Amino acid sequence: MAGFFGLFDFTKEGKGVSKNERKKYRFFTFFEVYFRKFWKLMQLNFLFSTSFLIPLSVIYVVNLVMTNKQTPVYFFIILGIVIVSIIPIGSALTGLFYVSRNLAREEHSFIWTDFIKAVKGNWKTGSLILFLDVIFAGAIYVGFTTYSAMEGILGTLGVAVITFVAVTITFMNYYMFTMQVTFKLTFKQLCKNGFLFAYLGMFKNILITILLAAIIFAVYILRPFSTIFVLSVVISLCAFIISFITYPTIKKFMIDPLYNKEEETQDTPQIEEEKEIKPAFSDERKIK
């Protein structure tokens, strides 16, 4: 008799999944997947943390060594460190979103090898995205400070435009890194699709923003004790939230049309890695 009196018999077929079984709400699926992948996400968090811990350590040493922090030399040293650190952090972001996307899709992922693979294949684009984000963030800060100090219609209009730009760029970023590690797109196509998704997924983007704002607020309130959570949990949690919520939208508009098109030409369509396909939004793309 298999098992113990018929129990614990793993060779016996299970009851399977009923065709009429109700599909789980994604709200519950999120927590189910997150806690099942928790330790892998923690490893991912530690791995990504090294990308900004090294530049921060260098800045800390510079602060200790340089006694006069009001000199132009100090300013340019710190600025140089910040600019140079864009490359490792931007590269690490590609690895972060590649692995978090795989985990959000409930795919098996080797954290270290997948992270390094994504960094090697996408570091230039990831660094460019982060560099432009830093430039835009600085411009938005200066513009908002300038126009908010003005009185009258010009100041109000300026603040409205700056706010619109800030929200659009923020929403675009929710999609750009995931698209970058999913498709072979030019930077122009990446920006174009990111802009479209910023408004096609408006309600989801607002939800992501609320969730991320709540997490950031909790980290701020609980500082400095929250530092350990930032280094171990918070970053990967934020990436997982973004990947889990945005990927279905990307799939709907950029992947599903491919399946539908191939179903018209063959009975069992297959998508192979690195296969060139026609995109929903762009002139040309490849699925990774």
Side-chain angles (χ1 to χ4, degrees):
M1 181 180 294
F4 183 70
F5 294 105
L7 301 175
F8 311 112
D9 182 5
F10 298 105
T11 64
K12 183 173 62 176
E13 292 186 3
K15 64 179 181 179
V17 179
S18 172
K19 292 182 179 180
N20 299 322
E21 185 175 345
R22 294 181 62 184
K23 190 176 181 180
K24 292 181 181 178
Y25 290 105
R26 283 189 63 79
F27 175 81
F28 299 107
T29 303
F30 171 85
F31 290 101
E32 179 184 330
V33 176
Y34 178 77
F35 287 114
R36 191 166 67 245
K37 306 290 185 180
F38 179 78
W39 295 112
K40 286 195 172 186
L41 285 165
M42 183 175 283
Q43 294 175 50
L44 177 63
N45 205 114
F46 278 120
L47 188 56
F48 176 81
S49 296
T50 59
S51 66
F52 63 83
L53 281 178
I54 294 175
L56 286 178
S57 300
V58 175
I59 292 175
Y60 178 75
V61 172
V62 171
N63 273 306
L64 290 179
V65 173
M66 297 196 66
T67 55
N68 190 353
K69 299 178 177 59
Q70 305 300 322
T71 61
V73 175
Y74 174 81
F75 171 79
F76 283 111
I77 290 176
I78 298 299
L79 180 62
I81 295 172
V82 171
I83 292 174
V84 171
S85 65
I86 286 175
I87 296 176
I89 296 176
S91 303
L93 280 169
T94 63
L96 175 71
F97 278 96
Y98 180 75
V99 177
S100 63
R101 182 210 66 181
N102 289 348
L103 296 178
R105 293 195 304 190
E106 300 187 65
E107 296 178 354
H108 180 72
S109 181
F110 295 99
I111 305 300
W112 287 83
T113 54
D114 286 352
F115 186 92
I116 294 171
K117 172 187 173 183
V119 168
K120 286 182 177 179
N122 302 279
W123 70 271
K124 292 181 181 179
T125 308
S127 301
L128 180 58
I129 293 173
L130 184 60
F131 176 76
L132 292 177
D133 281 342
V134 171
I135 297 297
F136 278 120
I140 288 169
Y141 174 78
V142 172
F144 188 83
T145 303
T146 302
Y147 284 110
S148 60
M150 292 183 179
E151 296 181 358
I153 187 65
L154 181 61
T156 303
L157 183 61
V159 169
V161 171
I162 293 295
T163 302
F164 171 79
V165 172
V167 170
T168 301
I169 292 175
T170 300
F171 287 177
M172 287 174 64
N173 272 271
Y174 294 156
Y175 295 88
M176 290 181 71
F177 281 100
T178 302
M179 284 193 295
Q180 177 200 1
V181 298
T182 305
F183 306 101
K184 293 289 187 182
L185 297 172
T186 65
F187 189 74
K188 180 180 177 181
Q189 293 167 343
L190 199 62
C191 292
K192 176 185 175 182
N193 293 349
F195 181 80
L196 293 173
F197 279 128
Y199 295 97
L200 284 172
M202 176 65 72
F203 294 108
K204 290 184 177 181
N205 299 338
I206 293 173
L207 174 61
I208 293 172
T209 304
I210 293 172
L211 293 175
L212 298 187
I215 292 172
I216 293 171
F217 180 74
V219 168
Y220 176 78
I221 292 296
L222 298 174
R223 71 188 194 286
F225 305 104
S226 57
T227 303
I228 185 62
F229 294 104
V230 172
L231 297 177
S232 60
V233 175
V234 172
I235 297 173
S236 61
L237 171 60
C238 292
F240 184 78
I241 289 172
I242 293 172
S243 299
F244 188 86
I245 295 177
T246 60
Y247 186 76
T249 304
I250 294 174
K251 180 177 180 294
K252 176 182 178 181
F253 289 100
M254 296 186 74
I255 297 178
D256 287 349
L258 170 66
Y259 280 96
N260 295 335
K261 182 176 180 180
E262 290 197 355
E263 284 176 356
E264 296 176 358
T265 58
Q266 56 185 9
D267 296 328
T268 56
Q270 298 290 326
I271 298 182
E272 298 178 358
E273 191 170 340
E274 302 298 322
K275 178 180 178 181
E276 293 194 16
I277 60 176
K278 277 193 173 182
F281 293 162
S282 306
D283 297 326
E284 185 178 314
R285 78 168 183 259
K286 298 178 185 177
I287 289 186
K288 292 183 182 178

